[in-house]
Every structure is written in C-alpha cells, then in structure tokens.
Amino acid sequence: MRPILTPLAQSLPSTVPFTGPEALERRSGVPFRARVGANESGFGPSPKVIAAIAAAAGGVWMYGDPEVHDLKAALAAHLGIPAANVAIGEGIDGLHGLIARLITEPGDVAVTSLGAYPTFNYHVAGFGGRIVTVPYAGHHEDLGALAEAARRERAKVIYLSNPDNPMGTWWSATEIERFIAEVPEETLILLDEAYCETAPADTLPALDIDRPNVIRTRTFSKAYGLAGMRVGYAIGEASFIKAFDKVRNHFGVTRLSQIAAMAALADQDWLAQVVAKVAAGRERIHAIAAGSGLAAVPSATNFVAVDCGRDGDYAMRVLKALEARGVFVRKPMAPGLDRHVRISVGRDEELDVVAAELPGALRGAD
Amino acid sequence: MRPILTPLAQSLPSTVPFTGPEALERRSGVPFRARVGANESGFGPSPKVIAAIAAAAGGVWMYGDPEVHDLKAALAAHLGIPAANVAIGEGIDGLHGLIARLITEPGDVAVTSLGAYPTFNYHVAGFGGRIVTVPYAGHHEDLGALAEAARRERAKVIYLSNPDNPMGTWWSATEIERFIAEVPEETLILLDEAYCETAPADTLPALDIDRPNVIRTRTFSKAYGLAGMRVGYAIGEASFIKAFDKVRNHFGVTRLSQIAAMAALADQDWLAQVVAKVAAGRERIHAIAAGSGLAAVPSATNFVAVDCGRDGDYAMRVLKALEARGVFVRKPMAPGLDRHVRISVGRDEELDVVAAELPGALRGAD
C-alpha cells in the first residue's frame, strides 16, 4: 500500500533541534537555579510589556490581526523603511522555515558554518536541501570561505549570523558589506541579526531594501525579553517580503504577541537598560571564567563562550556537571568550537550561582 | 539569472485566506459594534485563563517548552488516550500546514467539499497539491461522494469538518464511522472537529488511535475562547503524531498559549456555561432571521448560516450592508451555499446589534 507520508517526510528524522530546560528538569526532578543556556533575557520584558499583556488578556478570544498591521507599521517607522519591506513571523525560527520553503527544492544547496544555528539546517533539510558547511576561522565565521563555497556550490542560500551564535563574535558592517558584494546575486544571503541590539554600533550594515538577495532577520526574543512570545521579523526587498504571504500561517502570530512586541518596541529606555546590563554581565562572565583560569571569547551578544581549556568531551562533562549543580547552559558541538560552554548573561543572582558552581563543575569534570 | 524562489513558490499567489476584521476597520475607519464573523467566542476565555495569563506575563522572557509536555499530558488525560497520540500546534491552521507538508507531493490530490475551509486548500496548494472538490448535498457535506472521489482520484487526503464550517451542519458518529470505513486506507482522512464542543453528544466517533489514516484536529480557538492564542491539537495514530516532529516549528506554541490552554482545559465549568450560551445564541439567531422572514440552517457550531433568500450576489450585498452598519460577518462563496451569511454567536449585546441592523441591511441590499 502507498505510504501516507511523502518520501521526503519518511526520510526525515523526528527530532527536536534543542532540548528545552523544562525537559532536563523533568528528567532530573530538580528545577534549575540559573537558566543561562538559551540566551533568553533574564532581565525580563519591560514592565510596560507585562502591563500590556495583563490588560489585553481578556481579549484573547479574538484572533490576532493576520496582517500584523500595527506592529509592522511601528517596526517600519522604527527602522526608517516602508512596511512593505518588513515581514513578521513566529520567531526567527518560523521565518527560517518559511524562507527555506520558499527557496529550497530537493538537492538545492545551503551554505552555513559548521556549528552555526542548527534550526536553520533543520528547516533546509526539511525541504530536501543539502547543507554544505564551512569551518569557523578561529572563533569567527569565515566570510571569505563562505562566499567561496556559495560560488563553488551555486548555493541557493548562505546563512550568516552577525553577531554570531554560538560564539558571540562579530564582523564589522564594512566586512559584512564586502561579503555581501562577493556572494553571487542568485544566492540568497540570510543574515541573522538576532543579537543586533547588544552589538557595537558599527556591526550592522545600513539597511539596503533594494537588494533582492539579502534577507535580514531580527527578533524580540533576545534583548527585548520576549522569547516566549515568538515574534521575529525579516527585513528585505519588497517582492521577497511579499512572498511570505504565499506560505505563511496567517493567523500564527498571537494577539498577545503582537501587543507585547508593540509595547516592547515603544520602551526603548528599557531596552537601553537591558543592553547595559548585558554588557556588564558579559564582563562578569569573563571574570568568572578567569577566576577558574579559563579564557572567554569577546562577545557582542547576550552570552559568552567560555573555553574550558581542553577538548570537547571535557567541555561536555563540564556542562553536565553544571547541569547537576542547577546551572542550565548549552555548548557548541562542532570541532574547534566544542571546547567551549556558552553561558547566557543572566540576572546577578543567576551569575552568582554560576560563579559558585563553576569551580566545582570543573573539578567534577576531571 | 536563476530566480531565488522555487518554481512552486513563484507559481503561488501572495494571498491572505481570510481578511481580518481589523483590516476592514482600517478601511472604513469605524470599529465594528458586533464582531460576529470569525466564529470567535465573544463570551471570552474563562476568568481563570485571564488570571493565569496575567500571572505568567512576567515570565515571557523564557521560551515555551518545545515539547509542550504539560499541556499534552493534560489533554491526553482529558481525552483518555496516551500523550503519544496528541500533537499540539499553532492552531488548527498551523497543524493543517504541517499535515499538508508531510503528505503532499506536487500533483497529489486532496479531496474536499466545494466551499469548505479555505485554509486547508491554501496549505495543500502551497505544497503543489491538486484540490478536487465535491459539492455539498444541500447543507451537508456529501460523505458518499467524498469517499467516492477519494477512491476515484486515489486521493492522498480527504478533508471533512464535522460539525461543518461554513454551514454548521453535522453528521452523527455512526455516519462518520461508516464514511471512515469507506475511504481507502492509503488516503488520510483529516477530520476537523474544531467545533466539537458545541455539537450534540452523538456527533463524535469514539477515538480510535490505532487507525493510521485518520487525524482529527481540535482547537482552543472556539468554545474555549482562545482564538488569539493559537493552540490546536491533533489526535492520531502514534507514528503519524511523531512525524510532526520532523517538520514543526518546535518553539512555535508560545509560553502564554501553553499556560492559557492548560487553564482553559481545567475550567470545564466555564466551557459548559459557554456551550449553553452558544446553544441559546443559535436559537436567537434563528429567531432574528425568522423576524425578517428568513430561514436559517440548524447548527452544531457557534455560528448559524442564515439563508438570505435570493442568490449569492444578493447575500453579498447583505453582508456589505451589515458591514456598513457595524456588523462583521462572513459568508460562504460556493454555489448553492452562497445565498447564506454566516453569523457567529456573540454576546447578547452583539446579537442585539445584529437584530437591530439586519432588517435595514436586507432593505439596503435590494
């Protein structure tokens, strides 16, 4: 009998790209004391966001606006571009899925760095695409090698995060602009700027909404503190932006998510405070690492990659030891990166826990 | 130069299956006085849901559990089936998109009724599937003709809503079971039970989680009053349920949506009150229609299809006239159904507006 699933669907693994901290807590039976593994913002959303959600809770019987009109307009005004150049989706993950779908036929090539964001790869593979990886150059994504791979493979898409996840490093706007110029125009550049708010001022190229092969993705999940609300946005040339309407789940951005993101965007003072706290927290993680004799990678994000000083197996044991001590962190798995654990900037009391538990975790991993 | 979009993506229209009432309000500049067009629940969510959302608002900096473990467990317990037979997604719309993706290769056939839920068609077409439609038999979906079309076309999927949207009619569990037995096992039956809570007791077949070609979808959007939160669920055989993990947006169900749905499920008293109000509201809509000399279709849902008594053009003019008078309704567009406008059961004060405005709208449509 003919199977119900398509051959492609049959071939895909049933997988979850990231294990949530809740799943780890269910296994251990003990809640984490420091939730610093998913690059969430422990400083929380703006109090004005919290108030806006509470005030709107009675209205959740209504579908959200499928055009996400008001949030799109507010974002466009904030960015100084037309609303026709902004698409809003269920987090950057949701947008990645739609982008992969719009551009990927079975066998099409996506170029990415070995160890970069796995959810992008998940979506590309989910449409039958072939992932071609380029190793990091030290702690940075290798712009020259990525562009070269795109040319060589006639890639359909090239994925780059700036600032980078999982290492926290960044390239300057000038270097990114040079990279964009080097990539063939028939290759879409998916420039993931999830961590743009915490990056130095010269990290982000000016918005060029006329270039049809560049899509930039940003999110309310990180510095704005709305990870649980799932609101990401894409900035790009209008015809590509319009293409999202071909495939998106039109009512997918919840009513409260739209309201929360509007309130978050309106409170730039809160964002500035969070950004300052993130900068201080990065320094503190560097100091905590140094206190145990470890180096850490300079970061433009809300997390820091700490070099555990030995190989990937050792770093994994450090991670497990931290978990056992109530500290949720994650780590890169790719060769060269895998000696690091990635610690998100949390609240002071969470970093207190990290400071208290890291020495013991390092001993426990021996 | 090679286009960036796939040929399939290029061929798809950029469309929104439903125009939201917000878009209509933006055009007219006047808010609706009766929002009775999208089969939302004007009675709102349970007060306990509102309290749960407000209490959890400060925690939205955390991603929701990607396994949606607690809600899935609660639903499974409520339904008396294992959690392995339940998948949760971003509304039924989100689940429809995933189901279409899992089963549709270009050219594969989906059978549905002419005039049935358009978002299902949107998703099937979005993966290159071919829609084969079967006319309604009167006000009911034609079970025999649907099964016959599935056999004739070797359909990959057959879509059936019970109770039906947009007409509100229903078949008994016995008739649905006979239909399921008639459809070839290589055809997936997508049984959409979005309106199950407001249906008579003998409408829903017993859950049969061992049948691999039946997936049933339900939602918190209707009687539970959570349309804006986007929480739907699918019930099916475990291997199909597990396949959702191949393609879903794992963090897509927001943290507050999970919390709200848990609270809604726990308050069955509220649900029972809403169901009683819906039943009374249906009777009132029948009476309002009768007051203008119009017939209305008996309904098992939270809406009633009112026969405007002439052709589809006339009914469209009635709809427009209602809109102009502050009443948001929708209507079926398929021949045979299109003489109806579909009025959702709203709060008493909303139905007061409908009662006050319908006679004038009918005159205005002449």
Side-chain angles (χ1 to χ4, degrees):
Chain A
M1 197 179 77
R2 180 184 62 174
I4 286 177
L5 299 189
T6 66
L8 173 60
Q10 291 173 59
S11 76
L12 297 171
S14 286
T15 185
V16 176
F18 288 107
T19 304
E22 294 81 6
L24 300 172
E25 289 173 336
R26 283 190 291 271
R27 275 177 226 161
S28 72
V30 183
F32 286 117
R33 290 181 294 141
R35 182 172 164 130
V36 290
N39 305 340
E40 299 159 326
S41 182
F43 308 110
S46 156
K48 292 176 183 170
V49 169
I50 297 173
I53 291 171
V60 299
W61 62 274
M62 292 179 276
Y63 287 102
D65 175 13
E67 299 176 15
V68 201
H69 175 276
D70 294 351
L71 175 58
K72 199 182 289 185
L75 268 172
H78 179 73
L79 297 167
I81 58 176
N85 297 98
V86 180
I88 296 172
E90 300 96 324
I92 288 181
D93 283 358
L95 292 165
H96 280 179
L98 297 176
I99 292 167
R101 177 172 164 192
L102 285 169
I103 66 174
T104 309
E105 294 201 282
D108 280 349
V109 168
V111 168
T112 184
S113 298
L114 181 62
Y117 194 54
T119 309
F120 172 72
N121 300 359
Y122 165 82
H123 286 303
V124 169
F127 291 99
R130 184 163 66 86
I131 312 285
V132 171
T133 58
V134 170
Y136 277 64
H139 298 142
H140 282 72
E141 296 198 58
D142 188 337
L143 299 185
L146 286 164
E148 167 55 29
R151 283 192 298 271
R152 184 184 71 237
E153 300 279 353
R154 264 200 99 187
K156 207 67 193 289
V157 59
I158 187 165
Y159 174 85
L160 177 72
S161 60
N162 189 54
D164 175 65
N165 178 16
M167 298 308 289
T169 54
W170 68 102
W171 291 109
S172 72
T174 307
E175 288 157 319
I176 296 291
E177 282 164 355
R178 187 181 310 136
F179 165 78
I180 290 172
E182 278 180 17
V183 172
E185 281 183 35
E186 65 175 13
T187 298
L188 182 71
I189 299 168
L190 176 47
L191 180 57
D192 188 347
E193 300 178 326
Y195 298 95
C196 61
E197 294 89 0
T198 50
D202 73 338
T203 306
L204 306 176
L207 296 179
D208 175 4
I209 54 176
D210 295 322
R211 195 169 182 103
N213 73 323
V214 178
I215 284 281
R216 295 160 77 162
T217 52
R218 299 182 180 178
T219 183
F220 285 91
S221 295
K222 303 303 175 185
Y224 284 108
L226 297 183
M229 300 304 291
R230 312 282 58 221
V231 188
Y233 55 105
I235 303 163
E237 191 265 333
S239 72
F240 196 101
I241 292 297
K242 198 167 166 54
F244 285 105
D245 273 341
K246 294 168 179 272
V247 293
R248 71 188 178 95
N249 179 11
H250 291 83
F251 290 86
V253 180
T254 83
R255 186 175 189 87
L256 291 183
S257 301
Q258 297 185 34
I259 289 166
M262 293 273 289
L265 188 66
D267 193 353
Q268 291 291 314
D269 285 348
W270 178 262
L271 179 68
Q273 289 174 43
V274 169
V275 168
K277 286 179 188 171
V278 166
R282 289 190 303 234
E283 288 191 28
R284 184 157 182 225
I285 295 172
H286 274 266
I288 291 169
S292 287
L294 303 181
V297 181
S299 168
T301 65
N302 70 348
F303 60 85
V304 175
V306 172
D307 186 343
C308 293
R310 302 196 211 166
D311 64 4
D313 288 345
Y314 175 71
M316 181 55 88
R317 291 201 299 278
V318 172
L319 179 147
K320 292 287 180 195
L322 283 168
E323 271 185 18
R325 289 163 176 270
V327 179
F328 166 58
V329 295
R330 288 196 175 120
K331 69 180 292 302
M333 299 301 289
L337 312 181
D338 60 351
R339 32 190 292 152
H340 299 82
V341 294
R342 197 192 64 181
I343 303 175
S344 308
V345 174
R347 295 184 302 278
D348 284 344
E349 55 269 34
E350 291 185 294
L351 294 188
D352 291 346
V353 174
V354 174
E357 299 297 345
L358 181 61
L362 290 166
R363 281 195 305 274
D366 261 336
Chain B
M1 198 178 76
R2 178 185 62 174
I4 285 177
L5 299 189
T6 66
L8 173 60
Q10 291 172 62
S11 77
L12 297 172
S14 286
T15 187
V16 175
F18 288 107
T19 304
E22 294 82 4
L24 300 172
E25 289 173 334
R26 282 190 292 271
R27 275 177 227 162
S28 72
V30 183
F32 286 117
R33 290 182 294 140
R35 183 171 164 132
V36 289
N39 304 340
E40 298 158 328
S41 181
F43 308 110
S46 156
K48 292 177 184 171
V49 168
I50 297 173
I53 290 172
V60 298
W61 61 274
M62 292 179 276
Y63 287 101
D65 176 13
E67 299 177 15
V68 202
H69 175 276
D70 293 351
L71 175 57
K72 197 182 290 185
L75 269 172
H78 179 73
L79 296 167
I81 59 176
N85 298 98
V86 180
I88 296 171
E90 299 98 325
I92 288 181
D93 283 357
L95 292 165
H96 281 178
L98 297 175
I99 292 167
R101 178 172 165 191
L102 284 170
I103 66 172
T104 310
E105 293 202 283
D108 279 350
V109 168
V111 168
T112 184
S113 297
L114 181 62
Y117 194 53
T119 309
F120 172 71
N121 299 0
Y122 165 83
H123 286 302
V124 168
F127 292 98
R130 184 163 65 87
I131 311 285
V132 171
T133 58
V134 171
Y136 277 65
H139 298 142
H140 282 73
E141 297 199 57
D142 188 335
L143 298 184
L146 286 164
E148 168 54 28
R151 283 192 299 271
R152 183 184 73 236
E153 300 279 352
R154 265 201 97 189
K156 206 67 193 287
V157 59
I158 188 166
Y159 174 85
L160 177 72
S161 60
N162 189 53
D164 175 65
N165 178 15
M167 297 308 290
T169 53
W170 69 102
W171 292 108
S172 72
T174 306
E175 287 156 319
I176 296 292
E177 281 163 355
R178 188 181 310 135
F179 166 77
I180 290 172
E182 278 180 18
V183 172
E185 282 183 34
E186 64 176 12
T187 298
L188 182 71
I189 300 168
L190 176 46
L191 180 57
D192 189 346
E193 299 178 327
Y195 298 94
C196 60
E197 295 89 0
T198 49
D202 73 338
T203 307
L204 307 176
L207 296 179
D208 174 4
I209 54 175
D210 295 322
R211 196 168 182 104
N213 73 324
V214 177
I215 284 281
R216 295 160 76 161
T217 52
R218 298 181 180 180
T219 184
F220 286 90
S221 294
K222 302 303 173 189
Y224 284 108
L226 296 183
M229 300 303 289
R230 312 283 58 220
V231 187
Y233 54 104
I235 303 163
E237 189 266 333
S239 72
F240 196 101
I241 292 298
K242 196 167 167 55
F244 285 105
D245 272 341
K246 297 169 178 271
V247 293
R248 71 189 177 95
N249 179 12
H250 290 84
F251 290 86
V253 181
T254 84
R255 187 175 188 87
L256 291 183
S257 301
Q258 297 184 34
I259 289 166
M262 293 272 290
L265 188 66
D267 193 353
Q268 293 292 314
D269 286 347
W270 179 262
L271 179 67
Q273 288 174 44
V274 169
V275 167
K277 287 178 188 171
V278 166
R282 289 189 304 233
E283 288 189 29
R284 182 153 183 227
I285 296 172
H286 274 265
I288 291 169
S292 287
L294 302 181
V297 181
S299 168
T301 66
N302 70 347
F303 60 85
V304 175
V306 172
D307 187 341
C308 294
R310 302 197 211 165
D311 64 6
D313 289 344
Y314 175 71
M316 180 55 85
R317 292 201 299 278
V318 172
L319 178 146
K320 294 288 182 195
L322 283 168
E323 272 185 16
R325 291 164 175 268
V327 179
F328 167 58
V329 296
R330 288 198 175 117
K331 70 180 288 302
M333 300 301 289
L337 313 182
D338 60 351
R339 34 190 290 150
H340 299 83
V341 295
R342 196 192 64 180
I343 303 175
S344 308
V345 174
R347 296 184 302 278
D348 284 344
E349 55 268 36
E350 292 186 294
L351 294 188
D352 290 345
V353 174
V354 174
E357 299 297 344
L358 182 61
L362 291 166
R363 282 194 305 274
D366 260 339

